[in-house]
Amino acid sequence: MLLRFDPFHDLNLLADEILGGRRLPQTMPMDCYRHGDALHLHFDMPGIDVETLDVTQESNTLTVRALRNATAPEDATFLVD
């Protein structure tokens, strides 16, 4: 299992909230394992539009992008985004 540790994660969230900083790409929950010669990645990506899924690999970086359609009414206030 891959683990990511960022001791400044909470501080960065607070600074972005207070200062209105830009939103950076976030890591998505995933499982990654090797079975024989194959590497398997399972991503949790609920609500994405499959047509927007884009997977690219460059050097040692795998990038997975997708868009999620907001289904809430226009005047709704998001509590968790």
Side-chain angles (χ1 to χ4, degrees):
M1 175 169 42
L2 298 174
L3 295 176
R4 180 174 171 248
F5 176 70
D6 182 2
F8 300 105
H9 178 74
D10 291 336
L11 183 60
N12 287 337
L13 287 177
L14 179 63
D16 283 346
E17 194 69 32
I18 292 172
L19 302 174
R22 63 186 176 103
R23 297 187 70 176
L24 299 174
Q26 307 219 346
T27 58
M28 64 184 77
M30 70 171 187
D31 291 327
C32 177
Y33 60 91
R34 183 183 307 261
H35 185 254
D37 290 337
L39 188 64
H40 298 266
L41 298 146
H42 297 268
F43 295 98
D44 291 336
M45 301 174 72
I48 68 160
D49 181 4
V50 178
E51 298 296 320
T52 67
L53 183 62
D54 180 37
V55 180
T56 57
Q57 180 270 329
E58 184 176 330
S59 300
N60 289 328
T61 302
L62 179 71
T63 302
V64 179
R65 293 186 179 137
L67 294 177
R68 200 169 43 166
N69 293 331
T71 56
E74 274 189 35
D75 60 344
T77 302
F78 282 90
L79 303 176
V80 178
D81 182 16

